[in-house]
Amino acid sequence: MTIQELKSNVKWWESKRWIFNLFVGVSGLLVIINVLAESHYQWKLEDTLGVIIWGIGANIFYSLGILLELFDWYYLNNRVGFKKLRSFFYIIGTFISCFYTFWFVLANFIGTSF
């Protein structure tokens, strides 16, 4: 892999980060809006900090896609071929992150609201 290919790989992942953030954010926001509308829960500063930390954590895990490709290139000499599977990892990773965000937020509010 050349430096140009490396830049291309990073550009591919980074160009899709906003879509990932949009889907994960909307999945969490849907639960938050529904729970706040149906309960007497009062939003606190800790909740805002939790959302910010959750977003940072989700983006750290998103960066694992880039790191997997770099690991395959540098240490495994492209034997695994993660580049061919990146769309699969992107779609599955986004789906799992949305699913996990939705259910974690719901479980958190159920534990504190009801």
Side-chain angles (χ1 to χ4, degrees), residues 83-106:
K83 187 173 183 174
K84 293 179 271 184
L85 301 171
R86 71 165 100 166
S87 293
F88 172 77
F89 284 128
Y90 174 74
I91 292 168
I92 293 299
T94 301
F95 176 76
I96 290 171
S97 294
C98 290
F99 182 79
Y100 190 67
T101 298
F102 182 88
W103 288 109
F104 185 82
V105 172
L106 185 63

Side-chain angles (χ1 to χ4, degrees), residues 1-2 4-10 12-13 65-66 68-70 72-73 78-89:
M1 179 182 294
T2 64
Q4 199 63 20
E5 289 175 318
L6 177 64
K7 287 179 182 180
S8 173
N9 290 347
V10 171
W12 187 91
W13 282 100
I66 300 169
L68 275 174
E69 283 193 41
L70 289 175
D72 182 38
W73 168 63
N78 290 325
R79 278 184 261 152
V80 178
F82 280 118
K83 187 173 183 174
K84 293 179 271 184
L85 301 171
R86 71 165 100 166
S87 293
F88 172 77
F89 284 128

Side-chain angles (χ1 to χ4, degrees), residues 13-66:
W13 282 100
E14 291 302 321
S15 69
K16 288 161 183 44
R17 186 182 293 267
W18 73 271
I19 300 168
F20 170 82
N21 284 323
L22 180 70
F23 279 112
V24 173
V26 167
S27 67
L29 193 61
L30 287 174
V31 179
I32 291 170
I33 290 171
N34 285 331
V35 170
L36 290 177
E38 296 178 13
S39 72
H40 299 291
Y41 185 82
Q42 295 295 318
W43 191 263
K44 301 175 194 146
L45 177 63
E46 292 86 10
D47 298 320
T48 304
L49 293 174
V51 168
I52 292 169
I53 291 169
W54 189 270
I56 291 170
N59 277 280
I60 289 171
F61 280 106
Y62 179 85
S63 298
L64 288 176
I66 300 169

